[in-house]
Every structure is written in C-alpha cells, then in structure tokens.
Amino acid sequence: MWSILLSLLALICGIQAIRAKQLLAAALWLAGVSAAVATLLYSLGAYEVAVIELSVGAGLVTVLFVFAIAIAGEEAMSARLILPRLLPLLLVLGLLAVLAVGGRQAGVNSEMLAVSRGQLATDQDFATTHWQERGLDALVQIGLIFAGVMGVLGLLTEQAGFVGAKRNSEELGRNQENSPQLPQVPPVPLSSHSSLSSHEFSP
Amino acid sequence: MILTLSLTVVGLILIGLYGLLAVRNLFKLIITLQILVKGAVLALVIAGETSGRLQLGQSLAVTVIVADTVVAVIALALAVQLKQQSGTVDVGRLDTLKG
C-alpha cells in the first residue's frame, strides 16, 4: 500500500516538475521526486543508497538549482515548440509499447531468473562490494567529484570566462577614458645606459 | 511490490524522455534529466534485489548518483554562464554556431 502511494507521489511530482511554469517550483517538485524515490529505496532494503539519494538528490542538488536560478533569473518562454506537440507523446507511447512487449517476454523467463538467483547467492555487505569488487568505480567517482568541484567554482564565479573578460576590458577602457593625461616623457637613448653600466661595473 | 516499483521506473523514464523532447528551457532540461536518472537508479536497485545481489545494485546506484550530480552541477554552471553571455536559456534561440 505504501509503495503504491509513494510511487504515485513520485510520478505526480515528476509530471508537475515538467509542467511547472516557474523554475523554482520545478526544482522543488524535483526534490519531491527525490524524497519519494529515496523512501522507495529504503523500503527495498537499500539503506545506503536511500540516505545518499535523500541527502544528495533532495538536498544538495535542490540547493544548487535554487542558487543557479537565483543567479540567472526566470525567463518567460514562448509557446513555440521545436517539435510538434504530439510527436514527443507519440514517441513515448511507442516506447511504452516496446517496454510492455519486452516485459511480457521477461515474465516468461522468470524461472531462469530464479535459478540465477540461487547461483548468485553470495551477496556481501555494501562496503566490501563497493570498495573491493567495484574499486575502479570508486576511483572514477573521485575524478567525477573533482570535476564537480570545478563546476561549482564555475557556478560561483560570476566574473569567470568570457563575461568576466569582457567586463574587465570594458572597465579598463572606462578607466583609461576618465584618467588624466600624463605629460609625455622623451625616450632615453640606449647608448647612454650601456656606457654608464660598463663604466660602473668595470674592474 | 516489485511490479509497482517497476511501473514507477517505467513512468519516471517516460516522463524524463518526454521532457527531454518537449522542454526548451535549459534549466528544465537538467531537471528532466535528473528525473530520468532517478528512474535508472531505482531500476538498478530493483535489479539487484530481484537477482539476489542487492549490494552490487547499491554500489552501481551510488556511482550513478555521483555521476548524475556532477553532470547536473556542470550543466548548471554552463547554463548560468550561457545566460550571462547570450541572455537566454531557450535552446531554440541558441543558434550562435548555426551554419
């Protein structure tokens, strides 16, 4: 019963996230999807993933979305679509039909799944599986987190990149226009410098 | 319960695919991508549960969550910079490289 309610909650939040006019409301609906999915994962017995999904999906990502929307601001979008309105719906319904046929085929092979479940009954704890069996994944995650930190720096640095360089050049030009004109200094010939230095440092 | 969760996975993935095809705002595109990946995470854990290797499914799901979060962060940074540079996040108007 609870799983049905949580599933409906996740689907309704997902639909509302797409239908919402305001970006901030869409981000909050996405947090609702994350919370519902985390609860479903917890009910499945995947406690570690549920905690990570709740803290990262409903917490960190939502904060980042709110921050990015606050920087960029809302934009009124026109009603013109790239694709005809019914085409995405037809494509999705076609995919649903393919999935239904595939699911029916998978239902026939449920006995094979039961046999394979008996053969693969050597499930270890999460730490052993994650750090020993999937050690390469952990290394990849470290690289990804480093890339994510760079992304956060790009998000936080408003003056970065082309915009920052453009603003700096504009400010530099404005300062040069406003600065007082300095008197022209006549150039000094190089020969006098060389003779002076050779005279000073000669033994 | 597994059937209900499987239908949820299908629903989330279909909602995400529809959003990717129909939405034009860059921020909303990232949101729909997140919905799509949440369906994939749930599918991984369900597959681990039904095959008797729940911890393996959890490990893969954690990897997907980390990758998805990093993708969202970088995409948000790019969207903010694009908004400041070109003044729009409408994918229909971003035609600077159009030949």
Side-chain angles (χ1 to χ4, degrees), chain B:
Chain B
M1 181 177 179
I2 295 295
L3 179 63
T4 307
L5 294 179
S6 303
L7 290 177
T8 309
V9 167
V10 172
L12 286 175
I13 290 177
L14 291 182
I15 288 171
L17 281 178
Y18 176 78
L20 286 180
L21 290 172
V23 169
R24 297 175 57 197
N25 192 316
L26 266 181
F27 289 104
K28 270 199 171 182
L29 274 177
I30 303 169
I31 288 176
T32 55
L33 193 64
Q34 292 275 314
I35 295 173
L36 184 68
V37 173
K38 284 182 198 327
V41 167
L42 195 56
L44 280 174
V45 175
I46 291 172
E49 168 72 20
T50 53
S51 65
R53 297 205 68 183
L54 178 62
Q55 308 305 330
L56 180 62
Q58 282 201 84
S59 177
L60 293 173
V62 167
T63 306
V64 172
I65 288 173
V66 170
D68 176 48
T69 306
V70 171
V71 165
V73 167
I74 294 176
L76 280 175
L78 287 175
V80 168
Q81 295 292 329
L82 201 59
K83 169 77 176 180
Q84 290 180 346
Q85 183 177 340
S86 62
T88 182
V89 285
D90 188 351
V91 293
R93 294 183 191 169
L94 296 174
D95 53 357
T96 309
L97 294 179
K98 197 171 183 179

Side-chain angles (χ1 to χ4, degrees), chain A residues 111-194:
Chain A
E111 293 182 0
M112 292 174 61
L113 181 64
V115 172
S116 65
R117 190 185 307 167
Q119 290 173 351
L120 294 172
T122 58
D123 201 12
Q124 298 166 334
D125 62 330
F126 177 70
T128 307
T129 305
H130 189 66
W131 292 105
Q132 293 183 5
E133 289 189 16
R134 313 292 303 176
L136 188 60
D137 283 1
L139 290 176
V140 170
Q141 285 178 36
I142 292 171
L144 284 175
I145 289 171
F146 184 73
V149 170
M150 292 295 132
V152 171
L153 287 179
L155 182 62
L156 294 177
T157 311
E158 292 184 53
Q159 300 283 332
F162 177 79
V163 180
K166 191 177 176 184
R167 285 182 186 167
N168 288 336
S169 63
E170 287 175 359
E171 288 176 1
L172 185 64
R174 207 176 299 127
N175 290 335
Q176 284 180 349
E177 288 175 359
N178 296 333
S179 64
Q181 294 293 325
L182 295 174
Q184 294 290 327
V185 178
V188 180
L190 289 175
S191 57
S192 61
H193 285 289
S194 58

